[in-house]
Amino acid sequence: MMIHHSARFAVLLCAAATLAACASPDGVREPDAASRMRVAATAEAGGQTDVALSMYGAAAARDPNNGEAQARFAAALMRAGNRTQAEQVLAAAVERRPNDRRLILELAKMRLRSGQAGEALGLFDRVLAGDSRNVAALDGRGVALDLMGRHPEAQDSYRRAQAVSPDSVSVANNLGLSLLLDGRADEARAVLEPLARRSDANQRVTANYAISLAATGDEAAARNVLGSEDVDLRGVAEVLRVNRQVIEVTPAGGRS
């Protein structure tokens, strides 16, 4: 009888998880959370996302006080498109571990993605109360403030993040975008122009730089940056003003 490749892979992974936990003289015991997470990471790397999600979920259920397990399960749920359950997992984890900054930070980012800027701001401030130099929290705090229309406060938060991590593309890009949203196009251009020349600049940086060029009266240069003569720059600027979800949040490591 032939076994489908993905099914065979799942069987091998489960066997690996069992072997990782079978050192007990009483016989094979249930795999621990760490073993399940290792197997889940292997499954995910092999493209077996359903297996990975199942294993992350099993690890989180086995050890509800393991912050790493809860964070990984929530991240896997997000990648699978289940944002609601991911938020529920993190919220419950934060309730159990109210001083776990990583969990609070991840929940804050999810609140931002759900449009709950006020709640996110409170969570970022909780992280900063214990770690005032946390770049991800400073950057996320700026995003929340921008989404609430409090641009000068947002810019102060980004600059505090830059003082800790001056090379972060994400933080500098968010500062430039905040200045654009605040109607300070000349200052935004001064921030975004050197950023756009960097080899690690992404498309969001390029787009924001082009908008800053158009906003300062250099539409020809803006179209050249975007590589198109057909772009409605005024329309792009309006979309930027209305839909601020293009703002990035720095990863927990503090660098983009």
Side-chain angles (χ1 to χ4, degrees):
M1 179 178 66
M2 293 184 62
I3 301 177
H4 191 273
H5 173 71
S6 60
R8 183 167 62 247
F9 188 77
V11 169
L12 289 172
L13 286 170
C14 292
T18 301
L19 289 172
C22 66
S24 169
D26 297 326
V28 176
R29 65 176 183 271
E30 187 73 9
D32 59 17
S35 298
R36 291 181 188 276
M37 286 193 290
R38 285 195 295 271
V39 172
T42 301
E44 198 162 26
Q48 303 297 315
T49 54
D50 289 345
V51 174
L53 183 59
S54 175
M55 295 300 288
Y56 281 130
R62 177 178 175 81
D63 192 353
N65 290 314
N66 185 323
E68 178 77 9
Q70 304 307 314
R72 289 201 187 187
F73 182 37
L77 286 166
M78 281 292 293
R79 288 191 291 272
N82 195 338
R83 177 179 297 176
T84 299
Q85 189 179 353
E87 285 196 52
Q88 291 171 346
V89 167
L90 278 180
V94 168
E95 188 172 342
R96 287 190 297 268
R97 297 173 58 87
N99 297 316
D100 190 319
R101 292 173 194 158
R102 176 183 176 177
L103 290 174
I104 297 169
L105 194 57
E106 293 304 319
L107 180 59
K109 292 177 183 179
M110 286 195 182
R111 293 286 191 250
L112 276 184
R113 296 186 187 103
S114 299
Q116 302 173 69
E119 288 189 31
L121 179 61
L123 291 166
F124 286 125
D125 282 340
R126 277 176 63 180
V127 174
L128 292 168
D131 181 9
S132 63
R133 291 170 58 83
N134 188 301
V135 174
L138 287 167
D139 190 39
R141 182 176 186 274
V143 173
L145 288 165
D146 267 328
L147 292 171
M148 298 167 72
R150 295 161 60 179
H151 306 307
E153 293 174 78
Q155 291 149 29
D156 176 69
S157 197
Y158 296 135
R159 289 193 169 99
R160 286 170 59 194
Q162 283 188 312
V164 181
S165 183
D167 293 328
S168 171
V169 173
S170 172
V171 173
N173 186 48
N174 283 343
L175 173 59
L177 177 53
S178 181
L179 290 164
L180 280 172
L181 293 170
D182 202 18
R184 300 160 66 182
D186 288 326
E187 294 174 68
R189 179 171 175 173
V191 169
L192 294 166
E193 191 160 9
L195 198 64
R197 294 197 182 105
R198 287 178 49 165
S199 60
D200 54 349
N202 56 35
Q203 291 182 336
R204 289 179 175 179
V205 171
T206 301
N208 290 341
Y209 175 48
I211 293 170
S212 75
L213 288 169
T216 52
D218 201 345
E219 291 196 11
R223 295 182 191 283
N224 184 58
V225 167
L226 293 173
S228 174
E229 293 294 323
D230 300 324
V231 178
D232 179 5
L233 291 170
R234 292 182 182 178
V236 170
E238 178 63 16
V239 168
L240 176 65
R241 185 185 68 79
V242 174
N243 181 16
R244 298 172 185 167
Q245 296 302 319
V246 295
I247 299 176
E248 297 177 276
V249 182
T250 301
R255 293 186 181 267
S256 62

